[in-house]
Amino acid sequence: MSNNKILLIYTGGTIGMHKDAETGALVPFDFSKILEQIPELKLIDKQIDTISFEKPVDSSNIQPRHWIKLAEIIEQNYDHYDGFVILHGSDTMAYTASALSFMLENLSKPVILTGSQLPIGDLRTDAKENIITSIEIAGSYENGKPLVPEVGIYFEFKLLRGNRTVKSSAEHFNAFDSPNYAPLAQSGVHLKFFKHRILPVSQGIFSIHKKLEENVIVLKVHPALTKAQLSYIINIPGLKAVILETYGSGNSLTADWFLGLLKQAVTEKGIHIVNITQCLSGSISPDKYETGRKLMETGALNGKDLTTEAALTKMMYLLGKNLSKKALKQAFERSIRGEMSV
Ligand code: ASP
């Protein structure tokens, strides 16, 4: 049911920054000042309430505890609002959106992350359109049902699925891409929703999952990777998983030391190795090349077309559920929040 109320949650990011008088560098400032900059919000026919992190952060400082804080804010306010808009720095927005997509179980309301490349006070800012349209999206209901009952990122006229999104430009207003999944909505003269791409409203009871395993590492395969480096990594005490960014369709070197160390990690240490591609788009096809097939023979999991952000946070989430090795593999290799193509 829609009650025409949106909660705007401010975490920090360029959108609410100003230049520090001494250093000239951008630092977050008080949230109340941000709203003064967008008088247009008063024209929206919805009640917009706001809540701010006590200490707004540049999103480079976002950590799992901030994801938990966001999930808690949403949980505490879940029944009182139609939807949620999270103002967040763009640097780690894709990580936060991916993490939240897993942590918010049975989500049936819109959670839209947005931010901007220029501060809201800047004459040429992209912040206003991003915030206003995000609020529109979060409040879009049809027959009492939300049009976007999932975690999305809205930036520069596109709504993307959060756990499919990567930051692809440090320069352009169009800073995000969802290389393996087309946009959920497009904003032009009309706000057009592509309903066939949007997840259905969940029928289960909403809850949040707060246990995230942090002993997970991301490792990019490259031609100069050494045995000593890989050996050091798999011997990190307490390490539970390695998200391995491989070449192309899931290929990596086939040297005995490389495959041997991975096998040892999986079988002797119980470390989960995930094969994802370091390419911006496309998927793992483990049987296409010998080099990919041999890697999968070590017991690696097939990350298919997951982004690094989604693979990392999905693993942190699933490890937090204390599943058996088999159950974790099953859950990891299928789509649980629309994060991978099956
Ligand atoms: N460093 C900033 C942040 O992620 C960049 C931005 O907001 O776009 O907080």
Side-chain angles (χ1 to χ4, degrees):
M1 274 284 289
S2 152
N3 57 12
N4 247 0
K5 282 169 73 177
I6 303 294
L7 185 63
L8 193 58
I9 307 166
Y10 175 59
T11 68
T14 299
I15 198 159
M17 290 190 182
H18 67 158
K19 276 204 175 137
D20 182 82
E22 264 172 46
T23 64
L26 289 169
V27 288
F29 72 90
D30 180 12
F31 183 57
S32 55
K33 302 226 172 53
I34 297 178
L35 291 181
E36 286 165 21
Q37 311 266 358
I38 329 180
E40 294 90 339
L41 286 181
K42 298 203 181 74
L43 301 174
I44 297 182
D45 64 343
K46 297 189 191 323
Q47 180 180 326
I48 301 163
D49 294 338
T50 57
I51 189 165
S52 171
F53 273 12
E54 218 167 286
K55 267 189 154 193
V57 287
D58 182 301
S59 81
S60 312
N61 282 317
I62 287 279
Q63 292 178 333
R65 67 186 165 86
H66 296 104
W67 300 337
I68 293 170
K69 176 93 203 128
L70 281 169
E72 285 172 344
I73 292 175
I74 292 171
E75 182 185 42
Q76 283 150 14
N77 293 283
Y78 195 73
D79 293 336
H80 309 297
Y81 291 92
D82 291 345
F84 302 85
V85 173
I86 301 175
L87 303 182
H88 193 289
S90 62
D91 286 347
T92 58
M93 193 183 289
Y95 288 92
T96 298
S98 299
L100 287 179
S101 76
F102 299 115
M103 295 165 75
L104 305 176
E105 314 234 26
N106 292 313
L107 180 67
S108 61
K109 293 193 174 183
V111 174
I112 310 299
L113 288 95
T114 195
S116 65
Q117 294 279 61
L118 287 176
I120 194 137
D122 195 291
L123 198 56
R124 294 177 50 251
T125 188
D126 50 330
K128 288 188 184 184
E129 199 284 322
N130 285 347
I131 295 187
I132 290 169
T133 307
S134 295
I135 291 172
E136 285 277 314
I137 292 170
S140 288
Y141 274 61
E142 217 172 66
N143 303 324
K145 289 197 172 143
L147 287 182
V148 187
E150 58 170 294
V151 179
I153 288 184
Y154 180 78
F155 227 86
E156 191 66 3
F157 308 116
K158 281 182 305 193
L159 176 70
L160 307 173
R161 174 166 296 156
N163 56 30
R164 292 288 197 149
T165 304
V166 291
K167 182 171 181 184
S168 53
S169 174
E171 164 72 18
H172 298 124
F173 285 151
N174 187 3
F176 290 93
D177 260 314
S178 165
N180 290 321
Y181 200 73
L184 306 182
Q186 188 89 41
S187 160
V189 175
H190 301 288
L191 191 51
K192 191 165 171 31
F193 292 91
F194 304 109
K195 292 183 188 166
H196 59 289
R197 294 185 196 138
I198 299 174
L199 292 176
V201 176
S202 172
Q203 299 303 326
I205 294 171
F206 174 73
S207 66
I208 64 171
H209 176 94
K210 297 199 278 186
K211 202 157 169 256
L212 299 170
E213 175 60 60
E214 293 185 27
N215 284 303
V216 180
I217 207 165
V218 177
L219 176 65
K220 185 169 188 158
V221 173
H222 59 84
L225 183 69
T226 66
K227 180 178 176 185
Q229 290 164 350
L230 184 61
S231 167
Y232 186 83
I233 287 169
I234 66 160
N235 282 299
I236 292 173
L239 187 70
K240 298 281 188 304
V242 179
I243 311 299
L244 196 66
E245 289 188 351
T246 59
Y247 306 126
S249 52
N251 311 313
S252 60
L253 63 165
T254 48
D256 286 346
W257 65 262
F258 181 78
L259 296 172
L261 281 174
L262 291 185
K263 192 155 193 181
Q264 188 191 341
V266 174
T267 50
E268 289 171 27
K269 298 175 178 294
I271 294 173
H272 302 278
I273 307 286
V274 176
N275 185 2
I276 57 168
T277 177
Q278 52 189 255
C279 292
L280 183 57
S281 67
S283 178
I284 298 301
S285 308
D287 294 327
K288 196 165 170 191
Y289 295 93
E290 180 76 350
T291 45
R293 199 181 58 75
K294 286 206 164 156
L295 169 59
M296 296 312 283
E297 273 176 7
T298 64
L301 303 179
N302 186 342
K304 299 182 185 168
D305 61 351
L306 285 176
T307 62
T308 301
E309 291 85 337
L312 174 73
T313 54
K314 183 176 186 178
M315 184 53 89
M316 291 173 74
Y317 161 81
L318 289 176
L319 284 170
K321 287 191 171 274
N322 292 326
L323 303 171
S324 67
K325 199 175 168 193
K326 193 172 161 211
L328 187 137
K329 177 177 165 65
Q330 275 172 357
F332 195 89
E333 292 185 335
R334 71 182 172 85
S335 173
I336 54 176
R337 303 280 196 273
E339 74 282 4
M340 62 167 42
S341 309
V342 280

